[in-house]
Amino acid sequence: MTGAIRFVSAAARRSAVAGLVLSLAVVPLMAQSPAPTTFINTLMPQPASLTEEAGDMPIRTTFIYALHGNNGNRLRQGAVRFIHHLEMYTGVQMALTPTANAASATLTIDVRSAASDAFPTPDEDESYTLDAGPQHITLSANTDIGALRGLQTLLQLAQPAGSGFVFPAVHIQDAPRFPWRGLMLDCGRHFMPLNVIYRTLDGMAAVKLNVFHWHLTEDQGFRIESRVFPRLQEMGSNGLYYTQQQVRDVITYASARGIRVVPEFDMPGHSTSWMVGYPNLGSAPGPYSVQTSFGIFDSAFDPTRNSTYQFLDAFLGEMARLFPDPYMHIGGDESNGKEWRANPHIHAFMKAHGYTTTAQLQTYFSTRVQKILGRYHKRTVGWDEILNPALPKNAVIEVWHRDQFLIEGAKEGHRELYAHPYYLDHMYTAAQVFLADPVPAEANLTPAQAKLILGGEACMWSEQISPDSVDSRIWPRAAAVAERLWSPASDRDTNDMYRRLDVESLRLDADGLDHIAAPNRGLRQLARTADDEPLMLFASTLQPVDTSIRYKQEHPTQLTSFDLLVDAVRPDPPLRQEMNQLVDRALHGDAAAASQLRSTFKAWIAAAPAVARYAMYSPRLQQASDRIGQWPKLGTAGLESLDYLAQNTPPPADWLAAQKQLLNQAAQHEELVDFAVLPAIQHLIDAASGDQPPHAQP
Ligand code: ACM
């Protein structure tokens, strides 16, 4: 809390300076209300319903709020954060604390329930109503967490108007479509320092994600302190783990933002790190050592020994006391059964129980673990491999394979989480994750089955990320997932989503997320120059290859330093969508769009020699030398296509053949980076050659 107060004071000092300048120079002009503003909807996620009304409220230093009905810490701290962010966005200094004089308030936060749950609950009422008028704004909610969601919306409503900012008059009635809107972060394969965790929670709060799924144990690292079994972290983690006090602090921070923390302890597979210090847990004789490479390993808990369950009972009991959430994730993925089949004792156990597959043995294991968790009042979540007709129905299934698992799980009556379309490491575009509905139409679920789907989770696995690249891999695409999980199913306009995502991306940047800053820093370090413009231009055209492609080409391990060009480029970079739209407009006769495309292509051609020069002195950049060579040629292909189109002359066959060859080469997944702008250029070339091209992919 003291940290938070210091932070606010520093901002307040900066704002005070801005306020002073304002009072000297601008106040006479500001004294008249600015002309009514056209409301620009940049809300992300979109609310359930919104009605525009007449007028707007100028955001002035006189803005002051009153709390009515709930005065708890969570709401008071949330209101202070709201003012602090509003100050940052607008440069206007405002009162941080509420007024006791309700009649003077410009914002009334009215929370019906005076009491607050100590921690957010899975069936939390997050609904709120926002009535923003020119004189007064009322935010009403049943719970303090509903009010926090409404404050995020209000913050996003602030928009520039003339020389100041306003809240446009709107009536919003809002509630999430799904109660479980998660983000999974794998801190096992690569440890993520606490500052990454905290800023991830900040980003989640900004877009109303409400479950932080903390993947804490992996073959490559045991990342949490156990006091009962200290060799877990001491021998299983190369020293990088979260202490119990740090975990409690993270839970407190998340809870203050209305975010639940669900830990994952992956078992029976992905468990090598447990066995380094406690080899008797394993199904093989051992010894075990922490893995530094990635993939599927054979280590698995011995499911036949009572001592395994005694150990898990003591460990999970310890964790159940540490984590207040009623859910606990037991993983269950990718246990290959090899150690089980190789162990005569386990083999005999299977035979005695009539199990013919290791999947049946895994169900025996999961069911026993589920019973242990039940005794600690925890409900089990597991990846879809735990799905089996014999599994007790109260386990929640997280679907990471295919929709078929969603369908099967729903038929068997399990509650479910949708995850596979939201695997961020597959570098799906924001449009792809946004359009993937947790209740897929093709699945033909009955209404009762559809009700079992609690929501979904954006998943960030960490084989190929570092604390420097994690933000750009998560953000802003996770905001598109957040909107899918919060907003009505009918919200499917990808162009409008991208327009708002660009704004949200900058808001997240202001909130301290590193998805823009860190890649740019990476580029400067790659070229060892502060003259980063040519490289930034080059990087704006590129995106990382899918994790599975990098895995095949480079076999990165935990020891790989993720400092190549691929690590400093962003998935689904803004230029991809922008160029698709410019090309569409240019082909519909929009001269300004054609001119902007020309400028872009010329800029590439002009910047390319500098990038090639940096590469001469940067071995790491040289690894992308084919891409560096192809880049200006793509610019030329674009320019020449525009020329042919402008002259209305078909290009000669040898030109077309050369472009085809260039695009084929540029489309190969090589040097770990893909050109995100290829579909737009292909579209131009096709149009110039008179083909009717298919529309660009989302
Ligand atoms: C997983 O992706 N192995 C759950």
Side-chain angles (χ1 to χ4, degrees):
M1 197 55 217
T2 39
I5 287 169
R6 263 205 315 277
F7 188 35
V8 167
S9 313
R13 274 199 304 278
R14 282 198 302 280
S15 299
V17 174
L20 189 65
V21 174
L22 213 67
S23 66
L24 291 174
V26 189
V27 162
L29 288 176
M30 293 273 293
Q32 304 156 5
S33 290
T37 325
T38 311
F39 167 54
I40 301 170
N41 183 342
T42 65
L43 300 179
M44 189 142 220
Q46 284 288 284
S49 90
L50 179 151
T51 319
E52 283 180 53
E53 296 184 348
D56 45 44
M57 177 193 285
I59 301 174
R60 299 210 176 105
T61 58
T62 48
F63 186 89
I64 188 151
Y65 64 96
L67 298 178
H68 188 256
N70 182 307
N71 198 20
N73 264 346
R74 186 186 284 131
L75 186 58
R76 282 189 303 154
Q77 290 176 9
V80 170
R81 282 197 307 276
F82 164 79
I83 295 292
H84 167 59
H85 280 110
L86 193 57
E87 285 183 342
M88 274 203 319
Y89 292 150
T90 62
V92 179
Q93 187 189 0
M94 285 164 265
L96 285 172
T97 47
T99 173
N101 174 9
S104 73
T106 46
L107 165 66
T108 304
I109 304 173
D110 186 359
V111 176
R112 272 162 225 125
S113 159
S116 309
D117 289 325
F119 299 100
T121 61
D123 49 7
E124 196 70 47
D125 182 345
E126 298 175 275
S127 66
Y128 67 92
T129 303
L130 199 50
D131 264 307
Q135 310 299 333
H136 184 258
I137 298 170
T138 305
L139 166 60
S140 330
N142 290 324
T143 66
D144 52 353
I145 290 178
L148 293 187
R149 305 294 180 247
L151 284 173
Q152 291 295 348
T153 302
L154 184 57
L155 198 55
Q156 295 181 347
L157 277 173
Q159 67 174 74
S163 57
F165 286 82
V166 298
F167 288 122
V170 288
H171 175 77
I172 288 175
Q173 215 148 1
D174 201 6
R177 182 174 163 215
F178 294 104
W180 190 306
R181 305 179 308 281
L183 175 71
M184 191 282 312
L185 183 60
D186 171 8
C187 298
R189 292 177 175 86
H190 276 101
F191 179 76
M192 293 293 150
L194 284 166
N195 59 343
V196 170
I197 307 296
Y198 283 115
R199 66 183 192 243
T200 301
L201 291 167
D202 290 341
M204 290 177 67
V207 295
K208 303 185 174 70
L209 288 169
N210 69 347
V211 182
F212 178 56
H213 167 176
W214 204 353
H215 185 86
L216 283 163
T217 62
E218 258 308 332
D219 295 301
Q220 296 82 5
F222 197 97
R223 304 301 185 189
I224 183 164
E225 175 193 22
S226 168
R227 301 210 174 136
V228 181
F229 300 113
R231 293 206 301 275
L232 285 170
Q233 72 274 6
E234 284 166 8
M235 297 178 71
S237 80
N238 65 356
L240 296 173
Y241 63 88
Y242 308 101
T243 67
Q244 294 200 357
Q245 187 53 47
Q246 288 170 334
V247 168
R248 272 189 283 272
D249 290 345
V250 165
I251 293 168
T252 301
Y253 190 90
S255 170
R257 286 151 184 79
I259 297 172
R260 298 163 43 209
V261 178
V262 175
E264 179 182 347
F265 308 106
D266 208 341
M267 60 184 83
H270 284 293
S271 54
T272 313
S273 63
W274 304 63
M275 281 135 206
V276 184
Y278 299 91
N280 287 343
L281 289 173
S283 303
Y288 293 88
S289 54
V290 175
Q291 300 290 351
T292 54
S293 61
F294 301 120
I296 298 177
F297 297 93
D298 301 342
S299 318
F301 283 86
D302 184 336
T304 67
R305 281 192 245 168
N306 274 330
S307 56
T308 300
Y309 300 100
Q310 283 160 1
F311 183 101
L312 285 174
D313 194 318
F315 174 74
L316 293 173
E318 183 186 20
M319 293 299 118
R321 288 185 289 278
L322 183 59
F323 288 91
D325 200 79
Y327 284 88
M328 200 173 267
H329 203 305
I330 60 162
D333 56 317
E334 299 182 313
S335 187
N336 66 14
K338 281 189 189 167
E339 277 194 359
W340 290 352
R341 281 191 297 269
N343 180 324
H345 173 75
I346 296 177
H347 202 74
F349 182 91
M350 284 178 68
K351 218 164 164 189
H353 283 74
Y355 299 151
T356 51
T357 66
T358 52
Q360 289 169 311
L361 182 56
Q362 182 169 344
T363 301
Y364 167 87
F365 172 80
S366 315
T367 305
R368 285 194 68 169
V369 174
Q370 197 173 343
K371 282 207 185 99
I372 293 171
L373 287 182
R375 281 206 300 282
Y376 293 113
H377 309 290
K378 301 290 181 192
R379 288 174 252 168
T380 300
V381 191
W383 299 105
D384 54 30
E385 285 97 328
I386 71 166
L387 193 58
N388 185 295
L391 185 76
K393 298 299 173 225
N394 52 358
V396 174
I397 307 296
E398 181 156 19
V399 175
W400 75 279
H401 276 99
R402 303 181 285 287
D403 283 359
Q404 194 51 37
F405 285 81
L406 190 79
I407 297 167
E408 279 169 26
K411 280 190 183 151
E412 287 179 19
H414 287 284
R415 281 163 301 153
E416 302 189 274
L417 299 170
Y418 199 47
H420 74 88
Y422 312 133
Y423 264 41
L424 299 171
D425 49 338
H426 285 317
M427 310 300 170
Y428 299 131
T429 64
Q432 286 172 317
V433 299
F434 173 66
L435 291 175
D437 199 281
V439 186
E442 318 78 69
N444 289 319
L445 300 178
T446 65
Q449 289 168 345
K451 259 204 156 98
L452 293 169
I453 298 169
L454 298 176
E457 293 192 338
C459 293
M460 186 71 257
W461 296 104
S462 69
E463 282 95 339
Q464 299 178 11
I465 56 173
S466 71
D468 291 325
S469 60
V470 58
D471 290 37
S472 76
R473 297 311 197 239
I474 297 178
W475 307 104
R477 292 179 301 154
V481 179
E483 176 152 323
R484 175 50 51 227
L485 297 173
W486 177 282
S487 306
S490 57
D491 168 28
R492 296 184 69 80
D493 178 341
T494 53
N495 284 339
D496 192 63
M497 182 277 291
Y498 272 114
R499 177 186 64 76
R500 290 178 291 108
L501 191 68
D502 282 350
V503 180
E504 184 53 36
S505 181
L506 274 179
R507 281 194 290 247
L508 291 166
D509 177 56
D511 292 347
L513 276 296
D514 243 1
H515 57 296
I516 297 173
N520 290 347
R521 187 186 322 125
L523 292 172
R524 286 190 289 276
Q525 296 307 316
L526 199 56
R528 302 204 159 274
T529 174
D531 174 24
D532 52 10
E533 244 179 72
L535 261 175
M536 279 169 60
L537 203 55
F538 178 46
S540 74
T541 67
L542 297 166
Q543 61 190 359
V545 293
D546 180 350
T547 305
S548 59
I549 295 171
R550 184 172 192 176
Y551 181 74
K552 283 188 205 119
Q553 293 188 0
E554 195 196 26
H555 277 285
T557 72
Q558 215 180 32
L559 310 177
T560 305
S561 52
F562 292 92
D563 56 3
L564 299 177
L565 181 60
V566 56
D567 303 299
V569 300
R570 296 158 61 186
D572 196 10
L575 189 64
R576 186 191 71 86
Q577 168 74 359
E578 190 186 323
M579 284 200 68
N580 284 343
Q581 292 196 340
L582 283 173
V583 167
D584 262 338
R585 281 169 44 202
L587 294 180
H588 284 93
D590 181 335
S595 161
Q596 201 176 328
L597 282 170
R598 280 183 185 281
S599 306
T600 301
F601 294 137
K602 284 181 186 162
W604 295 357
I605 295 164
V611 174
R613 209 163 44 244
Y614 295 141
M616 283 168 59
Y617 302 101
S618 163
R620 285 185 282 141
L621 194 52
Q622 267 169 42
Q623 294 182 30
S625 56
D626 284 353
R627 290 293 186 241
I628 294 170
Q630 288 155 357
W631 181 46
K633 292 181 190 154
L634 291 174
T636 304
L639 273 183
E640 291 176 354
S641 300
L642 287 168
D643 288 341
Y644 287 120
L645 282 163
Q647 294 152 10
N648 212 7
T649 5
D654 59 346
W655 182 87
L656 269 178
Q659 306 320 308
K660 192 170 172 192
Q661 192 186 12
L662 170 66
L663 261 72
N664 277 344
Q665 284 167 351
Q668 302 301 312
H669 298 301
E670 56 174 32
E671 300 178 334
L672 307 179
V673 285
D674 288 333
F675 281 111
V677 293
L678 280 193
I681 293 169
Q682 180 76 59
H683 200 160
L684 271 183
I685 294 171
D686 289 345
S689 65
D691 287 353
Q692 280 300 321
H695 276 265
Q697 293 296 308

